[in-house]
Amino acid sequence: MKLGFLSAIVPDLSLEEVLTFAGREGFECVELACWPVGKAQRRYAGVTHLDVAAFTADDAARVNELCAKTGVAISGLGYYPNPLSPDAAEAQVAIAHIKKLIDAAALLGINQMNTFIGRDWRLSVDENWPRFLEVWPPLVQYAEDRDVRIGIENCPMFFTDDEWPGGKNLAHSPAIWRRMFEAIPSKSLGLNYDPSHFVWQMMDYVQVLREFGERIYHVHAKDARLDRERLNEVGILANPNDYHTPKLPGLGDIDWGRFFSVLTDVGYDGPVAIEVEDRAYEGALERRKAAIIQSGRYLRQFVN
Amino acid sequence: MKLGFLSAIVPDLSLEEVLTFAGREGFECVELACWPVGKAQRRYAGVTHLDVAAFTADDAARVNELCAKTGVAISGLGYYPNPLSPDAAEAQVAIAHIKKLIDAAALLGINQMNTFIGRDWRLSVDENWPRFLEVWPPLVQYAEDRDVRIGIENCPMFFTDDEWPGGKNLAHSPAIWRRMFEAIPSKSLGLNYDPSHFVWQMMDYVQVLREFGERIYHVHAKDARLDRERLNEVGILANPNDYHTPKLPGLGDIDWGRFFSVLTDVGYDGPVAIEVEDRAYEGALERRKAAIIQSGRYLRQFVN
Amino acid sequence: MKLGFLSAIVPDLSLEEVLTFAGREGFECVELACWPVGKAQRRYAGVTHLDVAAFTADDAARVNELCAKTGVAISGLGYYPNPLSPDAAEAQVAIAHIKKLIDAAALLGINQMNTFIGRDWRLSVDENWPRFLEVWPPLVQYAEDRDVRIGIENCPMFFTDDEWPGGKNLAHSPAIWRRMFEAIPSKSLGLNYDPSHFVWQMMDYVQVLREFGERIYHVHAKDARLDRERLNEVGILANPNDYHTPKLPGLGDIDWGRFFSVLTDVGYDGPVAIEVEDRAYEGALERRKAAIIQSGRYLRQFVN
Amino acid sequence: MKLGFLSAIVPDLSLEEVLTFAGREGFECVELACWPVGKAQRRYAGVTHLDVAAFTADDAARVNELCAKTGVAISGLGYYPNPLSPDAAEAQVAIAHIKKLIDAAALLGINQMNTFIGRDWRLSVDENWPRFLEVWPPLVQYAEDRDVRIGIENCPMFFTDDEWPGGKNLAHSPAIWRRMFEAIPSKSLGLNYDPSHFVWQMMDYVQVLREFGERIYHVHAKDARLDRERLNEVGILANPNDYHTPKLPGLGDIDWGRFFSVLTDVGYDGPVAIEVEDRAYEGALERRKAAIIQSGRYLRQFVN
Amino acid sequence: MKLGFLSAIVPDLSLEEVLTFAGREGFECVELACWPVGKAQRRYAGVTHLDVAAFTADDAARVNELCAKTGVAISGLGYYPNPLSPDAAEAQVAIAHIKKLIDAAALLGINQMNTFIGRDWRLSVDENWPRFLEVWPPLVQYAEDRDVRIGIENCPMFFTDDEWPGGKNLAHSPAIWRRMFEAIPSKSLGLNYDPSHFVWQMMDYVQVLREFGERIYHVHAKDARLDRERLNEVGILANPNDYHTPKLPGLGDIDWGRFFSVLTDVGYDGPVAIEVEDRAYEGALERRKAAIIQSGRYLRQFVN
Amino acid sequence: MKLGFLSAIVPDLSLEEVLTFAGREGFECVELACWPVGKAQRRYAGVTHLDVAAFTADDAARVNELCAKTGVAISGLGYYPNPLSPDAAEAQVAIAHIKKLIDAAALLGINQMNTFIGRDWRLSVDENWPRFLEVWPPLVQYAEDRDVRIGIENCPMFFTDDEWPGGKNLAHSPAIWRRMFEAIPSKSLGLNYDPSHFVWQMMDYVQVLREFGERIYHVHAKDARLDRERLNEVGILANPNDYHTPKLPGLGDIDWGRFFSVLTDVGYDGPVAIEVEDRAYEGALERRKAAIIQSGRYLRQFVN
């Protein structure tokens, strides 16, 4: 596998600084945050390390040169919006920008971009399905035509009242993945699998690898801790942030040895991108960098 | 404690038959189903063993005589509707009928009735709160005036798409109870505590007894089994019936020894009413009776 | 379900005494030991409560009368030999006698007999398979023709050096059952399922019920205790008796609540026959009877 | 085994009432409280169902007649003082009265009495040892001469500040038993084993049966619950009552199935006396009787 | 956080050698052993890396220069005596020397010193309390006046017969801390928290961080292993060394990921000093140095 | 301890390349694969990094020079054949070649060689014993005469049908070791202990260290994962490869912290040789080297 990180946590670094930092600290790759240039609407979003809006072959060459110089590959382009937003304009921006990432990934020759399916969070999965069937087949076809793979992250995007009750991304469980892959069998659609989202959903984040291993195109390494004393107060019908805490790898409930044990057995050999969303490690740039370095050190026990 | 059962599972028996059966099988009490006469709108509802609509002192005397004859007490009157339904008419029926149960409980001298808080299931807890503050203080006052205690069952009333996403009863967690009792401190408001609802909400159903022991006025003995292999498919954001199964006491995940260990320590000495909602034991009357008998035999290990 | 016991543990009682004892102690059924008259070759075998060798319709009528009188049904006829023994004569006796049990079961109208597949214990499963395919299809056809169901017990029949290394009954795991039912799809072939054999084979004795529930025609209730301190000395390559101990239900590692929880859900409503093989409860007849009674009392928590 | 109870919990019943109650409720035996007539100095002590001070053969005959009439045996005579008390007078009373129990046990032909070793609770085990060697060999010889067995209960007799830091009975761990039996090999010295004391001492109450099975002459069936939330506050250096709670069998942490599983295997077939020290079940006589009955019902699952 | 070690394990190194070794191996800080010059009275005590007896501003400047040169900070000055010793002279020495450490810490500008509360080990907590109230308020005032924080280590200082039964340091449980901080609310009194002492006291070493996080001024990283097979012999009333073994971090029962997960969440960002008391790693200087290095490597997974 | 690896996984490297790689990656030692030159008969066998067939003092000097140059010691010579093979010729080759390793170990002054006892896999342990008593005493004497220690690996050498049912190495359990050491008390016979083989044999791989610590002369660090979902299908009577998977250290079920915790306590200070048999890490040389490096990084947490 190739160990790296998602660049969204260091918005204060330029692309070159990101790659240089990664190379100096021994990472093999970075997933580049590619939000549209502008203001972030939520934490960990709105970062632009690569502006794909008007990305050209020349831009691609320059970026690839930087990669060669620093010895760091781009594991994928990342942009996590809500393409099924009930706000039609927001959805349209998301869809259009996803295409830009696909184009850029193709130009860069890395053929991997990561995103969300999206969801109208006030509607049930079934109620969202028609819209899914409208939006996603053409998007996947667009990617397939350019030989790019889409990695859908399995985050429910449900944290607080703002996303109650369904969250902003349909693709959060194996049952839904199965339905999704049956509707769109193209190999251009796969997963950017993050085991931490299964922790608070109380699902087995290891056994699932056996069935979906071939569809896992990218991995996020984040951890999460169930806070039992908080859960005992509110139960699972409460907002997820009321009973769990995102943490750095090694500081949560995931048994990473068990995770990589089966991940290696199902033949995964792709990128593992550390995603820092641990509030105890936010703040100054040095602290966030230290968080990435510590996470890398932890994961190197299991990843070569 | 006094062991008994909720009569809703045997709608085909008359009141006298219910009490006779209870007495013959060694139960000390029965919680009587007191829905308005008419057609049930959901499973386990709509049963009328006592028609409280026009209940008189004479009726009370006749019922108490039956109790004396069979040696079986009435642990409480039970009616579990949605008094906060977004359908104003439905809510009104519920509120009015709850008052009838309070009246009847007072007439019978048993001073205990059990019900739900209700909820507009499409709205969040916060969004329901104003309506709760409107409906419940006068209801509790009504009960307090008649020296009757209301036992709110802690069932979320969320099973399938029909109650998505919030369920039809607000009172499902300690955090919400605390808020409820702060708003209405009257001792006429308490709990009809059923530990099984905490099983799939992933909460500690024992430790909670220490804080709320004094507010527990009635206990439902039902069990529930988490089905991990189903949960692994769908996660906790799915409908509860997709990952758990209600079962008879002893056939679910509840550690009843641990439960009664602390329940006795906090001084609870009231009724324990078996509630049969195990589909494997429904069907013919004999099978449902056998389910009650088996449940009683199981619980007698822990209850004298 | 119907609770009863396998009569092999009380060879000193006559058929009438067995049924009378069963009835008096509240059991609904008995599985009758039907070995050929003669000397037992191993513990718990060689008992003849029903001599099926020359069993007539008149005999059947007499037996059924006894059942009616005592209020106790026959859950099945039981005979557990090695029909695939490398000793051709022994195998032939077994096969011929199994047919006698089928005949008798048909005559009695109980249409259930229980037995083993057998095995040449010195050969692997694969090496035994041709012989299985020779012996069993005609036997099952014989049963199907008489509308009798065969319940194969899942005991590996491997205890000590005498059965090393493979045991004397092929049908000990789900993988082998699947292969067996593929080879012989007839509904006349099913299982007499005993969860205790899965304890020392380290298999999940509950989850398996979901796949094979429809093939379970009879259940044996025996328990087993893994003796970790002995297992730590010898490991699982040792003889099973070196690291486990058969015990009465409730005195072993089986979680009977969990077992019956799923067994009821998959729709099983047949016999549950206590099988006493706990050496601490052998010896005098009174002690063995007490073992049956205690086991029944324990299981009645979960079985009505 | 023979199920019964220690009579200390019903001081308000006469000997005849105790035996009659035991017989009516299906118990096979009772351990009789035999404190000197007078005032109790601590909870559960000071009860005199048999006054052994001037016990004669005639008294014995009368008692045995009562036993025959009620069908209830005496499992042993019980008196639990501190024969190694630093108060020489108190120790002397204890020693002299223990001899009276031995005499009475011999006269009754039951040859079993149960007591404590005692301890100067302010001194360490080693510091108590010389006194143990002085007091106990003659006492055991006295019993051996009369063919009576002494069952030492393994209670540390340490609850609160009053017994800090060592408790009032040396014989609380296998390490000390071993030392004790090495000093006094006579078979007249054995154990009255109560697994509940091992719960809060954090010891395996089952595995120990394998080594000491032959020395177990009597069993007390009491349960105990570790209160983790209290233990987290004070730790094991606090007084035991600060972090655990004695409970009825089935309401504590003991796995009774596992306990009786091994107890039967090591050949124990003696008395099992329920000891009620659960404060939730004290109070009125009826409640204490109900506690005994409930405990018996619970244990009958495992004891015939 | 800043990773370092307590220098007591390398008494054979000079202060400069200690700091040089720390710097070369990548440690950010060291807690300096500051016992009075002289002979150690117990293992791990009596080491003097900084002689605070006559410490001057010039001395402080020299030491701070060494720190600057090696890039290693002093996390605190450490001296762990018994200021409540029943030996008045010993107590007096301890109290006087603690003041010297406070003075030196102030001079050095590190404003942190670590020590014990002490205890008359033959007396109960309550019996020690008056003496605590006499000795500690003035000591804390002395520190507060110099803007120095005192970190009390939570070690019970109870190992063998020599400290039986209470140990030589009162501050071993949250219940006692609470009492302590109520008596002395000054922020100059806090904790030098070592989770290993909670292991054998059977307390939750993580949950406690939530309440006392703000009072934790220093952390010791030591591990401990409960030896169940030894505990089963003697129980928790035995001396702690009879059933547990101090080990290097990663070789004991502590779940360090869980520990640092919550420690980071409560905002702790201070020193983490490895304390080597693992007898398997004592002996030659190289072995002790290797123990520190290995511990550091282990902890770096969780600490940046 | 000294961390290294078994060279069999890198057959494509020359001895010098092996030692150079080891030195560069910070390993202190290597166990050299010393099969006879020729073709491997099974996976991981047949590798010859040292041809001991005609090994001379000059050869030894050259090898020791290489060791000195690279700073890497030889932890032992390894050759794992079947000296008790039913094929007499194969057994003879094995025995003769083991002697060559003993000679070479003596010449090299490393006095450690590792091998198997062997077994006729079709026969029981008892049936193999006479042959063991014939072959091994002279072999051990041969080693003792040359002051060389033999480390027997505890691998059952049972994977698939080819080794059914007993495997090709008797020495797989503590019970058998005890019997082996009783028969041959010479200190020249000891163990090359690999905890992974105890994982699927369901034995405690830590507690055993206490009894056999002094006989452990060499340690293999390999890991193994029980695959419960596969085990549930086939049970422990199936071939071991049907329910477990060998993995790199840290990717299996072994708790290495607990392992090294006790290993250090029993005084082991010898070599720990990583053995790579994880199929997910085989293939290209670079991948296998990376597997060794990752395993080393993982183990360095616990080994200095």
Side-chain angles (χ1 to χ4, degrees), chain A residues 86-125:
Chain A
D87 173 340
E90 185 193 343
Q92 220 32 65
V93 165
I95 293 165
H97 197 67
I98 285 172
K99 286 186 182 163
K100 297 287 189 189
L101 271 86
I102 293 170
D103 292 337
L107 279 174
L108 284 160
I110 56 173
N111 79 325
Q112 179 69 33
M113 69 80 58
N114 302 321
T115 191
F116 288 143
I117 290 293
R119 173 171 182 171
D120 182 340
W121 60 95
R122 300 162 314 189
L123 302 182
S124 73
V125 173

Side-chain angles (χ1 to χ4, degrees), chain D residues 35 70 252:
Chain D
W35 269 261
T70 54

Side-chain angles (χ1 to χ4, degrees), chain F residues 252-272:
Chain F
D253 296 348
I254 291 179
D255 181 334
W256 291 96
R258 215 178 130 239
F259 176 69
F260 283 109
S261 182
V262 176
L263 194 63
T264 49
D265 279 7
V266 300
Y268 183 78
D269 198 32
V272 175

Side-chain angles (χ1 to χ4, degrees), chain F residues 83 94-96 98-99 102 135-144 150:
Chain F
I95 293 165
I98 286 173
K99 287 187 183 164
I102 294 171
V135 167
W136 277 94
L139 264 181
V140 174
Q141 189 59 53
Y142 189 90
E144 192 175 327
I150 299 173

Side-chain angles (χ1 to χ4, degrees), chain F residues 206-217:
Chain F
V206 170
Q207 195 59 25
V208 70
L209 300 171
R210 300 192 186 273
E211 179 178 352
F212 292 96
E214 296 204 343
R215 289 284 195 169
I216 298 178
Y217 297 163

Side-chain angles (χ1 to χ4, degrees), chain B residues 2-21:
Chain B
K2 283 164 283 302
L3 192 60
F5 57 89
L6 170 54
S7 71
I9 195 65
V10 283
D12 26 14
L13 294 189
S14 70
L15 173 60
E16 179 158 9
E17 287 167 333
V18 166
L19 293 169
T20 305
F21 166 69

Side-chain angles (χ1 to χ4, degrees), chain B residues 225 227 229-230 245-253 278-281 287 290-291 294-295 297-298 301-302, chain C residues 1 207 210 255-269 297-304:
Chain B
R225 190 188 66 226
D227 291 329
E229 79 286 356
R230 293 163 73 207
T245 308
K247 295 298 295 175
L248 298 190
L251 299 184
D253 295 349
D278 183 337
R279 302 216 175 173
Y281 286 84
R287 185 142 182 82
Q294 174 182 322
S295 300
R297 206 159 47 215
Y298 179 83
Q301 300 178 74
F302 309 112
Chain C
M1 301 182 203
Q207 196 58 25
R210 300 194 186 272
D255 181 334
W256 290 97
R258 213 177 132 240
F259 176 70
F260 283 109
S261 183
V262 175
L263 194 64
T264 50
D265 280 7
V266 301
Y268 184 78
D269 198 32
R297 207 159 47 216
Y298 179 84
L299 292 170
R300 281 290 182 206
Q301 301 178 74
F302 310 112
V303 177
N304 56 20

Side-chain angles (χ1 to χ4, degrees), chain E residues 10 51 60 63 81 99-100 105 111 125 128 135 138-139 149 153 159 180 185-186 211 238 251 281-282 288:
Chain E
V10 283
D51 181 359
V63 169
K99 287 186 182 162
K100 297 287 189 190
N111 79 326
V125 173
N128 271 280
V135 168
L139 262 181
R149 302 193 308 182
E153 191 179 351
F159 310 103
M180 199 166 98
S186 165
E211 179 178 352
L251 299 185
Y281 286 82
E282 296 179 358
R288 284 173 281 131

